[in-house]
Amino acid sequence: MSATPTPLRDKVTVPGLQLQKSSGQKITALTAYDYPTARILDEVGIDIVLVGDSLAMTRLGYSSTLPLTFAETLVHLQAVRRGVRRALLIADLPYGSYHVNSDEAVRAALECVKKGGAEGVKLEGGRKRISLIERLLEAEIPVMGHIGLTPQSFHVMGGYKVQGKSEETAERLFEDALCLQEAGVFSLVLEGVPRELASRVTASLRIPTIGIGAGPDCDGQILVTDDLLGFSFLPKPKFVRQYANLLEVITAAVREYRHDCQSGDFPLDSESYHAPEAMHAGRQP
């Protein structure tokens, strides 16, 4: 029997996500970087809205996620916060904001919560992040883990490559997942890993797994919303299902607008304002 969907009026919380896993109710997650997108996702009923560092490539035009600054993240996080009421709002800590020392990382996470309205933060990495996770939890900040293909590490990985394909690397990722759970993360993103590994991790953890390029057996799924909508100039990964093609729609609309401006078809008289009749006669009303 399928689980009863959570009513849209119920606020999504960290404990609530745990209940969704326990009941077998799939968790839905998407990225947002602005107010209108966030509002749409929230009103549709998406469970987790992530202000992801994919912002760097999808909206700011960087070649990777690495140049994204904390200041840029915070501006977009604040915009998304204005559009979210029901969903759990999570902020991706950008590269460099948690790599120098734990004090800087906690300070950045606190800014996400206090100024950005985030209800938790996400950071990449396995067991090497345990001490940092513990510090964040001491500061009462929920933490979402992220292992597998971690985009902030693409230089080390030699590109955006599927992780955990060998028995050795798969076992290492499995152990990372267990370590992060014991450290206290409330959920774990599994990106770019074989389905079999994601299934094993999901079955072994008490906390929810959120897959992206990790197969259908995770407790939930996340995609970059711009990929889902076809609003990206970047190559589409294999795991993305594109539900619309906004690039085509927007290009066609702008092309038509340009044509109408040049031909004189825009604006029409009906799209123009008119002065009172007295002014047509040269008299003041």
Side-chain angles (χ1 to χ4, degrees):
M1 180 180 298
S2 60
T4 302
T6 302
L8 297 186
R9 64 178 180 274
D10 290 353
K11 177 70 180 81
V12 179
T13 63
V14 167
L17 293 176
Q18 183 62 60
L19 290 176
Q20 285 188 241
K21 177 183 175 77
S22 301
S23 66
Q25 182 180 329
K26 292 291 188 178
I27 297 166
T28 57
L30 285 171
T31 62
Y33 321 111
D34 54 55
Y35 168 79
T37 304
R39 182 165 175 175
I40 291 169
L41 301 188
D42 194 61
E43 292 182 357
V44 166
I46 295 299
D47 297 312
I48 300 172
V49 172
L50 171 69
V51 180
D53 62 359
S54 49
L55 158 70
M57 301 172 73
T58 58
R59 294 300 178 88
L60 301 184
Y62 294 125
S63 60
S64 73
T65 62
L66 303 187
L68 183 68
T69 66
F70 181 76
E72 290 167 331
T73 298
L74 187 59
V75 168
H76 289 267
L77 174 60
Q78 291 169 330
V80 170
R81 174 73 274 172
R82 298 180 194 113
V84 170
R85 293 179 179 272
R86 173 190 175 270
L88 186 72
L89 178 58
I90 303 298
D92 227 343
L93 292 180
Y95 180 72
S97 65
Y98 60 98
H99 297 76
V100 177
N101 59 61
S102 59
D103 289 339
E104 287 194 11
V106 173
R107 189 175 298 113
L110 287 171
E111 290 283 283
C112 287
V113 174
K114 289 172 66 68
K115 293 185 177 180
E119 297 163 299
V121 297
K122 181 175 78 65
L123 52 83
E124 298 180 2
R127 69 200 78 182
K128 63 185 177 181
R129 304 295 182 213
I130 289 178
S131 61
L132 173 55
I133 291 168
E134 292 172 345
R135 282 288 311 275
L136 291 170
L137 293 176
E138 287 175 3
E140 315 296 343
I141 301 174
V143 180
M144 173 183 280
H146 183 163
I147 61 173
L149 196 171
T150 47
Q152 293 178 7
S153 307
F154 83 98
H155 283 314
V156 175
M157 294 179 173
Y160 301 104
K161 299 179 179 180
V162 175
Q163 302 296 303
K165 296 174 73 173
S166 70
E167 184 175 342
E168 179 183 356
T169 56
E171 192 61 30
R172 187 180 306 126
L173 284 173
F174 180 77
E175 292 172 359
D176 277 343
L178 295 178
C179 289
L180 290 177
Q181 174 178 255
E182 294 311 307
V185 300
F186 72 87
S187 66
L188 183 61
V189 172
L190 301 176
E191 179 171 0
V193 300
R195 172 181 179 174
E196 295 78 8
L197 174 58
S199 180
R200 180 187 174 203
V201 170
T202 300
S204 301
L205 296 185
R206 301 182 302 274
I207 60 173
T209 58
I210 310 296
I212 175 167
D217 302 317
C218 296
D219 298 304
Q221 298 292 329
I222 187 169
L223 284 177
V224 172
T225 300
D226 295 60
D227 291 339
L228 177 153
L229 297 177
F231 190 47
S232 173
F233 293 97
L234 302 169
K236 183 168 70 72
K238 174 183 179 180
F239 55 79
V240 170
R241 181 180 297 181
Q242 187 174 310
Y243 288 81
N245 193 331
L246 292 193
L247 281 184
E248 286 188 0
V249 172
I250 294 171
T251 300
V254 173
R255 183 176 288 119
E256 187 174 356
Y257 165 77
R258 177 175 179 271
H259 173 271
D260 289 351
C261 288
Q262 292 180 330
S263 66
D265 288 340
F266 177 81
L268 300 174
D269 183 68
S270 61
E271 296 164 324
S272 304
Y273 296 104
H274 293 277
E277 290 185 9
M279 292 189 68
H280 284 296
R283 298 189 303 271
Q284 294 298 318

